[in-house]
Amino acid sequence: MGNFNQQLVALTMATLRADGKVDAAEIDVIKRVAADLECDASEITKLLLEENEKQAKCPDIYSYIAEVGKTVEDPADKQLIMEACIQVALADKTLAEEEVGILLTVCNSLEANGARMICDIAIFAQNDRDIKIEGSDANFSEEIVEEEN
């Protein structure tokens, strides 16, 4: 699998499936990212359908991610795919623990920078206060802060 579109769809689809829910907002993010990267829309739609079917039957998604990640050679492609996976994970405004596990697996498979991944997640969460991170007690209402002052 050396085709960027296939790699992008495979890894973002694995991220999308991580929390056990397929959300329309997540599919829209994949399509938007692909459009921003000037990927052929009809090819992306076809690949999404194929990849969904393939991953639904996949016995070990972590091994599959590792296999796909190894095929991405260009450092710029690795970063674009990593950023797309983060956007997909955050599309539903909740970063679930399962999604973190998949993001780490994607990051490792791409041999991407883990610290950069964490910073990218933090930037997205900072720019969109509606994003909740499961297991974090740092999620709070701005009203609570205002009441305490």
Side-chain angles (χ1 to χ4, degrees):
M1 179 184 293
N3 176 304
F4 175 79
N5 290 350
Q6 288 177 316
Q7 296 160 334
L8 174 71
V9 169
L11 295 175
T12 54
M13 181 62 80
T15 304
L16 176 149
R17 298 174 67 82
D19 62 2
K21 300 176 280 190
V22 175
D23 190 290
E26 294 167 326
I27 295 285
D28 291 344
V29 167
I30 296 172
K31 289 180 177 181
R32 188 193 77 236
V33 167
D36 289 348
L37 296 172
E38 299 180 359
C39 300
D40 179 80
S42 61
E43 180 184 6
I44 294 298
T45 299
K46 178 180 154 258
L47 289 170
L48 282 167
L49 294 170
E50 290 172 1
E51 196 61 36
N52 186 51
E53 189 173 310
K54 182 187 293 184
Q55 289 185 21
K57 298 175 185 172
C58 184
D60 181 11
I61 195 66
Y62 295 96
S63 295
Y64 181 69
I65 291 169
E67 180 183 315
V68 173
K70 289 179 189 174
T71 67
V72 183
E73 296 175 3
D74 184 314
D77 288 351
K78 291 178 181 194
Q79 187 57 38
L80 290 170
I81 291 170
M82 192 70 240
E83 289 173 8
C85 289
I86 292 167
Q87 289 180 55
V88 167
L90 298 175
D92 64 358
K93 306 291 187 195
T94 301
L95 182 61
E97 290 182 36
E98 298 87 359
E99 291 170 317
V100 173
I102 292 292
L103 287 173
L104 286 170
T105 302
V106 170
C107 187
N108 291 334
S109 76
L110 293 172
E111 298 176 345
N113 184 327
R116 167 109 189 238
M117 179 193 78
I118 293 167
C119 287
D120 287 344
I121 292 169
I123 289 167
F124 279 108
Q126 181 179 18
N127 290 331
D128 185 344
R129 297 294 184 153
D130 291 334
I131 292 174
K132 304 294 180 219
I133 299 174
E134 282 186 4
S136 170
D137 59 0
N139 294 325
F140 57 86
S141 166
E142 290 181 16
E143 294 169 358
I144 294 172
V145 174
E146 290 171 2
E147 288 174 7
E148 290 178 1
N149 288 330

